[in-house]
Amino acid sequence: MVVFGNVSAANLPYQNGFLKAISSGGCDLMGHRSFKISTSFKTRTRRRRSAGPLQVVCVDIPRPELENTVNFLEAASLSASFRSAPRPAKPLKVVIAGAGLAGLSTAKYLADAGHKPLLLEARDVLEGKIAAWKDADGDWYETGLHIFFGAYPNVQNLFGELGINDRLQWKEHSMIFAMPSKPGEFSRFDFPDVLPAPLNGIWAILRNNEMLTWPEKIKFAIGLLPAMVGGQAYVEAQDGLSVEQWMRKQGVPDRVTDEVFIAMSKALNFINPDELSMQCILIALNRFLQEKHGSKMAFLDGNPPERLCMPIVEHIRSLGGEVRLNSRIRKIELEDDGTVKSFLLTDGTTIQGDAYVFATPVDILKLLLPDSWKEIPYFKRLEKLVGVPVINVHIWVDKKLKNTYDHLLFSRSNLLSVYADMSLTCKEYYDPNRSMLELVFAPAEEWISRSDSDIIDATMKELERLFPDEIAADQSKAKILKYHVVKTPRSVYKTIPDCEPCRPLQRSPIKGFYLAGDYTKQKYLASMEGAVLSGKFCSQSILQDYELLAASSGPQKLSETTLST
């Protein structure tokens, strides 16, 4: 969910018919002149916050017991395989384009295995889809509202490997939904800790009588039976149906979709149930219902670049790897046989390596694909994978809102997906006197080209419904101190039906060229967990090809039939 992650923005000048600002990192962008990406900042009243240590103001829930779960142990074993791999006689120089979570993960695990990654990031900020910036007042604004789930075993292992588990602020095991029919009220799904999965999830659903009636719950449960019995094979077979189509096929009342799955669809992929593949929902439900702590959420205790990204960078550098900012790729240069010769940067620098990885969003990869590769089936299938527009909004108000929680909230409004009062949920952003709401504005396709003031006006109208006693659209109650709007015309890939066969494996059919990113083949779809796991799979593929890469003198094209993760 953006919960699984959305992406940051940059200005896009053009050069030679191509985007001059093609990112080597996680910056999503469009290949069309009619779209604008902006990070805007408007101030009504400025205030300066003095720097200081993170302040603990909330009693967070203790870290859940994740270490003994099957998925955590599986992820830990994969991590350990890199550290225990035989030290290479000739470490590979692996050039990686993109320093989002996928690129950072790839570089981290290659370094663990004794190789020398060179990570190139187009911008002056790391972390791609979870990048953040500090404004003139010292306040941070982010590219998305990022939540770390218990069902993220590779991400949880990564935190442990870096020694930063204490930077996750775990919240109570609940899902909290705003009630459009009852302005200012919320409905909760509380998962009791005393019950194992899936009983804790079933209990949470059965105990909530505000959103679904008993007949609706029963019909929904009956509709889910095939997924419970059929397992992963059934889940994968539902890729061809939208959420709305699947629900109707299973006889689930439309009100179940309206009450629960509109909010869930927008949180997972920023689109509505009539577009989202049902496979995406079933994968999430499988993780949340089959793992006791799968749906338990944590917030990072501060801004992602410093609190998560820099520990990864420091780890990479400590093992001999490099991370370079402001290193934007202009062209993938090829040898006569069609394999990669080098990456040409926009400043004219040529970077060569023993292997090459593209860990950028899929839209950026497609912009930079050499013409001779475009008809290869592996790359041609990427045409259907297109980033979805999303907007992230930050609003600082002049008072402390009372009708909110120290938790993620599902807005269930037409324009908003999820939101949180970050002055409560995040230690670094804590403020005892004012609230800062961070909101995901989705679906955003019709709004991405609208002005920031239009977006803020629309957001305030939605907030008036959520906080009728405290917020008015005309600001006659809580007043806006300042706001930031971060637009991303191309975020995570749009998970519409029949996309699954188009997702590429990490090893490409071009010798020495690999992919990483949450759009590549792995079981967690478009998420932070998917990005980290894709980096592991990419590193694993490179290690498997070590002898070929180290000894090769004349690059040859690999057969597509040899691809594997």
Side-chain angles (χ1 to χ4, degrees):
M1 299 167 108
V2 119
V3 172
F4 281 32
N6 57 346
V7 292
S8 55
N11 294 322
L12 303 181
Y14 289 81
Q15 182 180 41
N16 299 328
F18 279 94
L19 287 171
K20 181 179 180 182
I22 287 175
S23 171
S24 295
C27 173
D28 287 70
L29 45 98
M30 296 277 293
H32 305 283
R33 293 178 183 263
S34 58
F35 285 82
K36 172 187 175 186
I37 298 182
S38 69
T39 55
S40 62
F41 167 51
K42 302 290 177 65
T43 301
R44 302 281 179 86
T45 303
R46 287 195 172 186
R47 60 185 176 86
R48 185 165 299 279
R49 178 156 56 199
S50 60
L54 297 183
Q55 184 175 6
V56 179
V57 296
C58 301
V59 179
D60 293 312
I61 303 301
R63 175 181 170 82
E65 296 179 1
L66 303 172
E67 285 74 13
N68 292 324
T69 63
V70 172
N71 286 325
F72 186 94
L73 292 172
E74 180 184 272
S77 176
L78 182 54
S79 292
S81 71
F82 297 105
R83 297 190 297 270
S84 62
R87 299 299 90 177
K90 176 190 173 185
L92 297 174
K93 178 183 177 182
V94 183
V95 184
I96 304 167
L101 275 180
L104 287 166
S105 173
T106 304
K108 190 265 186 194
Y109 292 106
L110 283 172
D112 283 349
H115 297 285
K116 304 300 180 186
L118 170 56
L119 189 57
L120 305 174
E121 167 57 42
R123 301 173 299 168
D124 60 359
V125 63
L126 296 164
E127 294 234 5
K129 295 184 177 72
I130 59 172
W133 300 265
K134 185 181 287 189
D135 67 20
D137 297 325
D139 292 312
W140 287 89
Y141 60 102
E142 305 179 6
T143 56
L145 183 50
H146 307 292
I147 303 299
F148 297 82
F149 286 88
Y152 281 4
N154 290 283
V155 168
Q156 296 301 334
N157 268 277
L158 179 61
F159 272 81
E161 292 160 26
L162 297 169
I164 57 172
N165 276 331
D166 60 342
R167 298 185 183 185
L168 287 177
Q169 292 183 253
W170 291 93
K171 307 304 180 183
E172 58 185 329
H173 199 172
S174 302
M175 289 189 171
I176 306 172
F177 292 75
M179 298 291 290
S181 60
K182 300 176 181 179
E185 296 187 21
F186 298 85
S187 182
R188 299 171 61 102
F189 290 86
D190 295 315
F191 295 70
D193 286 337
V194 295
L195 294 178
L199 295 180
N200 62 343
I202 293 172
W203 179 266
I205 295 170
L206 294 180
R207 288 276 294 175
N208 183 297
N209 294 313
E210 297 166 310
M211 293 176 65
L212 299 177
T213 65
W214 275 97
E216 289 166 344
K217 293 177 188 178
I218 293 171
K219 289 180 180 178
F220 178 47
I222 293 173
L224 277 179
L225 282 176
M228 296 178 182
V229 174
Q232 187 64 24
Y234 178 86
V235 170
E236 292 178 0
Q238 307 315 301
D239 179 52
L241 296 174
S242 70
V243 176
E244 185 177 81
Q245 290 170 333
W246 185 91
M247 293 289 183
R248 289 175 177 173
K249 179 183 177 182
Q250 298 302 114
V252 179
D254 285 347
R255 220 179 73 83
V256 174
T257 302
D258 295 340
E259 289 294 298
V260 177
F261 288 100
I262 287 179
M264 194 169 181
S265 296
K266 293 201 293 183
L268 284 170
N269 198 238
F270 314 124
I271 56 179
N272 283 316
D274 61 335
E275 291 188 277
L276 184 67
S277 167
M278 187 61 192
Q279 184 194 40
C280 185
I281 291 285
L282 291 175
I283 287 173
L285 289 176
N286 186 44
R287 297 276 77 80
F288 292 165
L289 295 178
Q290 297 303 320
E291 301 175 28
K292 180 177 179 179
H293 304 295
S295 57
K296 186 170 281 192
M297 306 177 204
F299 284 71
L300 194 61
D301 66 359
N303 70 90
E306 293 179 351
R307 303 300 287 169
L308 173 56
C309 176
M310 282 312 299
I312 305 176
V313 171
E314 289 165 2
H315 179 87
I316 293 167
R317 287 173 173 165
S318 73
L319 295 175
E322 292 185 66
V323 179
R324 299 182 190 173
L325 302 179
N326 299 305
S327 300
R328 193 179 304 278
I329 294 176
R330 185 169 71 191
K331 184 180 180 182
I332 302 173
E333 296 186 311
L334 302 183
E335 301 280 6
D336 291 340
D337 65 356
T339 57
V340 180
K341 178 181 180 182
S342 62
F343 285 168
L344 176 64
L345 306 187
T346 54
D347 65 2
T349 303
T350 296
I351 306 293
Q352 292 185 314
D354 300 304
Y356 300 85
V357 177
F358 243 70
T360 69
V362 66
D363 298 281
I364 297 172
L365 169 65
K366 289 190 291 186
L367 285 172
L368 285 172
L369 274 180
D371 290 340
S372 61
W373 290 5
K374 291 180 179 179
E375 294 306 312
I376 297 173
Y378 174 92
F379 295 111
K380 191 170 181 58
R381 287 193 292 267
L382 298 177
E383 291 176 2
K384 189 167 182 177
L385 302 181
V386 178
V388 63
V390 70
I391 299 169
N392 206 52
V393 178
H394 305 69
I395 298 177
W396 284 258
V397 295
D398 66 347
K399 61 178 62 179
K400 196 73 174 176
L401 299 173
K402 298 177 181 179
N403 192 27
T404 187
Y405 288 86
D406 178 15
H407 212 299
L408 178 76
L409 301 171
F410 293 82
S411 77
R412 300 178 72 223
S413 74
N414 291 331
L415 298 179
L416 302 178
S417 168
V418 291
Y419 69 97
D421 184 346
M422 298 297 282
S423 71
L424 283 178
T425 62
C426 177
K427 293 173 185 176
E428 186 177 10
Y429 302 163
Y430 171 70
D431 191 320
N433 302 313
R434 302 174 179 87
S435 286
M436 188 276 271
L437 295 176
E438 184 171 346
L439 312 105
V440 179
F441 196 102
E445 189 166 1
E446 296 180 6
W447 288 85
I448 201 73
S449 60
R450 299 277 290 272
S451 71
D452 298 333
S453 59
D454 283 349
I455 293 166
I456 291 297
D457 289 344
T459 300
M460 288 298 289
K461 289 177 182 177
E462 295 296 310
L463 289 177
E464 184 177 50
R465 299 173 59 199
L466 295 171
F467 300 89
D469 297 329
E470 300 181 88
I471 293 180
D474 63 2
Q475 297 189 56
S476 58
K477 297 177 182 179
K479 291 181 172 55
I480 296 177
L481 295 172
K482 65 179 179 180
Y483 63 80
H484 290 280
V485 174
V486 182
K487 298 179 180 179
T488 309
R490 288 290 181 260
S491 179
V492 295
Y493 79 95
K494 194 173 185 179
T495 313
I496 59 177
D498 297 318
C499 269
E500 192 64 23
C502 302
R503 298 176 71 192
L505 295 166
Q506 286 73 32
R507 182 190 286 114
S508 87
I510 305 298
K511 180 207 155 273
F513 186 78
Y514 303 83
L515 300 180
D518 57 16
Y519 70 93
T520 63
K521 194 73 171 178
Q522 39 75 28
K523 62 182 179 180
Y524 287 92
L525 297 175
S527 63
M528 292 186 290
E529 172 70 9
V532 171
L533 182 55
S534 77
K536 283 183 164 182
F537 283 164
C538 182
S539 300
Q540 187 181 57
S541 296
I542 292 171
L543 295 191
Q544 290 169 352
D545 295 343
Y546 171 74
E547 296 296 335
L548 179 67
L549 295 170
S552 174
S553 57
Q556 300 294 323
K557 186 181 288 188
L558 294 174
S559 167
E560 193 165 2
T561 60
T562 67
L563 302 180
S564 67
T565 57

